[in-house]
Amino acid sequence: MNKIVTIERHILEKQKKYPGATGVFTNLLYDMALAAKLISREILRAGLIDILGAAGEENVYGEQQQKLDVFADETIFKLNDHTGRLCAMASEEHEDIIQIPPHFDSGKYILLYDPLDGSSNIDVDAPVGTIFAIHRKITEGPHGTMTDMLQSGRSLAAAGYVIYGSSTIMVYSTGQGVHGFTLDRTVGEFFLSHDNIRIPATPTYYSCNPGYEKYWTPGVRRYHKWLQGIEGEGRKPLGQRYIGTMVADFHRNLLKGGIYFYPGDLQNPAKPQGKLRLMFEAQAMAFLVEQAGGYASDGLGNILDIRPHDLHQRVPMFIGNRELVEQAEQYIQQYDQEWCDAYRPIRDRQPMFTP
Ligand code: P6P
């Protein structure tokens, strides 16, 4: 019988390499795993929404039905606000930092999370996900500050995601490779199912929303044709897959090889950064893909090197096999000078607070 490896056992075995490590990290990741179990259960029930009652109404059990993204957001907060492991949190659903309630102890980590990525897919029973990133507190004093929040991806202590699909899988890295755990609902435990994930050298798919091609820059349009084998040296085309949940598209491309991209938008020079959030989506996935041998770029350079200036700043993202991402950078830097000139000063803005 193969070893039965839970998240706890896996982290403890990895932590042996860090004699000074405390169990705080293990417990933090375990808190996220518990949140994933609770969110997964609610998502399963959402399929019965007509019976249970739509969000905002009382369900057949007399409970107030919550929108699932509100449920996910509140679940992650409630599982982490009292543990004494965090000094602050930030959620894609909240404008500002979420402080730890004063009657609870404050800790040495920061948690940033997107509680339910792709939530609009719930109604059509398509996969959705949770994304989380963990930084260490770097300022004095008990409370988390914006300085603690706005650290570059190079400082990440850990990151991960949960995909709620045909099965619920939690994937995380603490900087020692990328590992996936599948939820066994019969016992309510995550077990190691994808040890040390490496992105395959040969890509299979590309993921983007071609419906918005008219808003793309000339270089990105050429790159899209290159992926299809139409532009350039006539490479073998890649299959196109797009779910509309970045976590799900990323997960497939991580296991099968490929690239997901959500480019900037030249038609909107006030917002050339595209749609994805740096602190709640892009940084965590860039950390994971690099740990798995891939690469993530905003078109100009590594997303992990971006110095954040705003909690909700957006970035274009090209993420997957390094050769595919670097090809995108080449097309953008060769054909999209106007976009690069509009985006770079926005990306490199000074933080709005004094560090
Ligand atoms: P569009 C979900 O809202 C999300 O942030 C990503 O998970 C997903 O890839 C993208 O937006 C979908 O956006 O504009 O293609 O519908």
Side-chain angles (χ1 to χ4, degrees):
M1 182 183 186
N2 291 338
K3 265 196 324 184
I4 297 176
V5 181
T6 61
I7 290 179
E8 183 180 36
R9 174 173 179 174
H10 193 261
I11 296 171
L12 290 173
E13 286 177 353
K14 292 284 177 191
Q15 258 181 344
K16 281 179 188 147
K17 294 185 181 176
Y18 292 87
T22 66
V24 174
F25 221 24
T26 312
N27 294 325
L28 227 177
L29 286 164
Y30 233 66
D31 295 337
M32 290 311 296
L34 177 55
K37 293 176 196 173
L38 294 171
I39 295 166
S40 177
R41 182 197 63 187
E42 278 310 290
I43 288 172
L44 270 185
R45 279 162 41 124
L48 302 170
I49 203 80
D50 296 341
I51 302 168
L52 296 177
E57 297 170 359
E58 282 211 344
N59 64 26
V60 291
Y61 308 107
E63 297 158 352
Q64 185 64 29
Q65 190 69 18
Q66 279 188 316
K67 274 175 65 71
L68 276 170
D69 45 8
V70 172
F71 174 83
D73 184 54
E74 290 184 0
T75 298
I76 294 171
F77 174 73
K78 287 175 185 166
L79 286 177
N80 285 285
D81 66 347
H82 60 283
T83 63
R85 297 191 252 277
L86 302 177
C87 60
M89 291 180 246
S91 163
E92 186 182 281
E93 300 290 326
H94 297 261
E95 193 54 38
D96 207 344
I97 295 178
I98 308 169
Q99 288 297 348
I100 300 301
H103 50 284
F104 292 137
D105 292 341
S106 186
K108 62 177 187 179
Y109 290 101
I110 289 274
L111 174 68
L112 299 110
Y113 60 93
D114 178 358
L116 209 59
D117 175 51
S119 51
S120 58
N121 272 328
I122 288 276
D123 302 342
V124 295
D125 201 26
V128 292
T130 294
I131 306 168
F132 64 91
I134 299 167
H135 279 289
R136 294 175 185 82
K137 182 172 177 28
I138 54 174
T139 60
E140 298 304 316
H143 303 299
T145 66
M146 198 56 90
T147 303
D148 295 310
M149 286 285 160
L150 297 184
Q151 299 181 58
S152 86
R154 291 292 176 203
S155 309
L156 276 169
Y161 62 84
V162 183
I163 177 170
Y164 309 100
S166 47
S167 53
T168 293
I169 300 175
M170 180 167 166
V171 175
Y172 79 82
S173 176
T174 57
Q176 299 174 60
V178 179
H179 313 285
F181 297 77
T182 299
L183 178 61
D184 179 339
R185 293 184 192 284
T186 60
V187 293
E189 185 59 82
F190 280 100
F191 292 110
L192 183 64
S193 51
H194 302 71
D195 191 19
N196 199 26
I197 301 172
R198 301 293 293 172
I199 192 166
T202 306
T204 309
Y205 299 111
Y206 77 88
S207 306
C208 65
N209 185 342
Y212 297 144
E213 188 156 1
K214 72 176 282 191
Y215 302 125
W216 294 353
T217 51
V220 173
R221 286 196 203 131
R222 282 176 175 264
Y223 176 65
H224 186 212
K225 296 285 176 275
W226 179 81
L227 289 168
Q228 299 171 72
I230 301 168
E231 158 102 9
E233 74 282 3
R235 58 177 289 119
K236 178 174 173 295
L238 295 177
Q240 201 265 355
R241 294 280 191 283
Y242 192 71
I243 296 172
T245 297
M246 183 265 286
V247 167
D249 285 312
F250 176 85
H251 184 71
R252 181 198 52 250
N253 296 347
L254 183 67
L255 299 183
K256 302 291 184 186
I259 185 166
Y260 165 99
F261 65 92
Y262 206 102
D265 174 353
L266 192 65
Q267 310 291 322
N268 183 351
K271 206 183 99 182
Q273 315 95 300
K275 177 178 183 182
L276 298 176
R277 276 83 164 186
L278 172 63
M279 299 312 292
F280 300 108
E281 294 167 303
Q283 223 186 56
M285 305 314 254
F287 178 78
L288 290 165
V289 80
E290 194 155 292
Q291 281 289 316
Y295 176 44
S297 172
D298 63 351
L300 298 185
N302 195 320
I303 280 177
L304 293 177
D305 293 327
I306 295 177
R307 189 194 54 218
H309 57 76
D310 183 277
L311 196 54
H312 290 272
Q313 76 186 76
R314 296 171 190 264
V315 289
M317 184 159 78
F318 299 78
I319 186 167
N321 287 83
R322 175 171 286 277
E323 51 141 333
L324 297 181
V325 177
E326 288 177 342
Q327 185 64 52
E329 289 180 327
Q330 283 178 36
Y331 272 109
I332 289 168
Q333 289 162 31
Q334 183 174 352
Y335 297 103
D336 295 341
Q337 203 50 55
E338 182 190 354
W339 176 83
C340 293
D341 293 345
Y343 168 66
R344 187 180 282 107
I346 294 174
R347 180 191 71 172
D348 296 341
R349 259 184 209 145
Q350 287 302 313
M352 291 183 293
F353 63 96
T354 46

